[in-house]
Amino acid sequence: MAAGPTSDPVSPDAFVEAVTAWAQRIPRGSREVLAIAGAPGSGKSTLAARIEADISDTAILPMDGYHYDDELLVPRGDRPRKGAPHTFDVGGYRVMLARLRANDEDEIAVPRFDRDLEIVRSAARVIPRSVRLIVTEGNWLLLDQPPWSDLQPLFDRTAFLDVPIEELDRRLRQRWDGYNLTGDALRAKLEDNDLPNARLAATGSITPHWTVQE
């Protein structure tokens, strides 16, 4: 297992600046992929949305759109670990990444995860051929174990959001409080799933091009 990301840290502002400079060099008609990884609650989706807003011809592919459904997780006994590496359709995600990289269709529909309903919405947004930069984000994109490690050739640049475990704990408590999760249910969610996932993402990921620290 890798020791975790160790590239020299940059601020979110410096990271967005560097990505902007890189994206501007992508020729029209070409397409490249930026992978943003990090623990649950580290701010991946927020940073991806900022890049999409700041850089033209950019679109997001969230890894969470490849969650296994509860209809599969419950009989397998994996529902309490939803979000762990083995609870995703990595093969389906890899096929979509390859399809997006090929960029030989007028538009490609991609899924997104509806956290309010805990389901994946298929074909929830469309990415047109004109998009030059795909920003994909998720906990396990840089995980140094198969099948996740098989994704590495599909990424042109990578980033890891490095957030202290104490701050992740605070953010995750705030997140789940918004979903009325309290008491033993909250404790189980954090201590049996989210925080172990956070530690695995931090220690089990390969070194990225950018380590982002607030």
Side-chain angles (χ1 to χ4, degrees), residues 3 19 22 34-35 51 71 81 101 128 133 146 158 160 169:
V19 171
W22 163 49
L34 167 66
I51 292 171
E71 287 194 7
R81 292 304 319 278
R101 283 188 66 90
L133 177 63
T158 57
F160 188 91
D169 182 272

Side-chain angles (χ1 to χ4, degrees), residues 21 23 38 40 43 55 66 98 104 111 151 154 167 191 196 208:
I55 303 174
Y66 291 86
D104 56 9
L151 301 174
L154 299 172
E167 174 63 12
E191 295 178 5

Side-chain angles (χ1 to χ4, degrees), residues 5 10 20 109 112 120 122 134 140-141 144 149 158 171 178 180 195:
V10 298
T20 301
R112 73 171 180 86
V120 170
S122 177
I134 299 294
W140 310 118
L141 304 189
D144 193 19
S149 53
T158 57
R171 293 182 187 180
N180 298 315
L195 296 179

Side-chain angles (χ1 to χ4, degrees), residues 31 100 120-121 160:
R31 178 174 283 173
L100 286 166
V120 170
R121 293 192 176 276
F160 188 91

Side-chain angles (χ1 to χ4, degrees), residues 15-70:
F15 171 64
V16 173
E17 247 181 65
V19 171
T20 301
W22 163 49
Q24 288 172 344
R25 296 194 295 271
I26 300 173
R28 293 207 172 274
S30 297
R31 178 174 283 173
E32 298 197 10
V33 177
L34 167 66
I36 300 177
S42 59
K44 302 177 297 296
S45 58
T46 299
L47 189 55
R50 178 179 170 185
I51 292 171
E52 184 182 40
D54 286 0
I55 303 174
S56 60
D57 300 331
T58 298
I60 299 172
L61 174 68
M63 182 201 79
D64 280 356
Y66 291 86
H67 269 290
Y68 283 143
D69 192 83
D70 287 2

Side-chain angles (χ1 to χ4, degrees), residues 46-116:
T46 299
L47 189 55
R50 178 179 170 185
I51 292 171
E52 184 182 40
D54 286 0
I55 303 174
S56 60
D57 300 331
T58 298
I60 299 172
L61 174 68
M63 182 201 79
D64 280 356
Y66 291 86
H67 269 290
Y68 283 143
D69 192 83
D70 287 2
E71 287 194 7
L72 180 60
L73 296 176
V74 170
R76 288 183 173 183
D78 286 333
R79 180 60 181 80
R81 292 304 319 278
K82 191 171 185 175
H86 63 283
T87 64
F88 291 89
D89 175 17
V90 188
Y93 175 64
R94 183 175 63 246
V95 168
M96 179 59 78
L97 280 172
R99 187 179 168 198
L100 286 166
R101 283 188 66 90
N103 197 19
D104 56 9
E105 302 169 64
D106 289 339
E107 60 181 25
I108 297 174
V110 299
R112 73 171 180 86
F113 183 63
D114 188 328
R115 191 176 296 280
D116 290 337

Side-chain angles (χ1 to χ4, degrees), residues 82-195:
K82 191 171 185 175
H86 63 283
T87 64
F88 291 89
D89 175 17
V90 188
Y93 175 64
R94 183 175 63 246
V95 168
M96 179 59 78
L97 280 172
R99 187 179 168 198
L100 286 166
R101 283 188 66 90
N103 197 19
D104 56 9
E105 302 169 64
D106 289 339
E107 60 181 25
I108 297 174
V110 299
R112 73 171 180 86
F113 183 63
D114 188 328
R115 191 176 296 280
D116 290 337
L117 298 178
E118 283 289 313
I119 61 170
V120 170
R121 293 192 176 276
S122 177
R125 63 185 303 184
V126 168
I127 298 178
R129 181 177 284 179
S130 58
V131 164
R132 290 186 289 172
L133 177 63
I134 299 294
V135 180
T136 187
E137 53 87 9
N139 301 342
W140 310 118
L141 304 189
L142 304 185
L143 191 62
D144 193 19
Q145 57 183 251
W148 294 99
S149 53
D150 298 334
L151 301 174
Q152 297 308 314
L154 299 172
F155 303 142
D156 297 287
R157 297 287 188 279
T158 57
F160 188 91
L161 274 60
D162 183 18
V163 178
I165 196 74
E166 297 80 11
E167 174 63 12
L168 292 173
D169 182 272
R170 184 193 70 79
R171 293 182 187 180
L172 290 165
R173 287 178 185 276
Q174 187 175 53
R175 171 190 289 178
W176 297 123
D177 182 63
Y179 288 91
N180 298 315
L181 206 61
T182 59
D184 290 344
L186 174 60
R187 190 158 38 250
K189 181 68 174 173
L190 291 173
E191 295 178 5
D192 297 340
N193 195 45
D194 284 357
L195 296 179

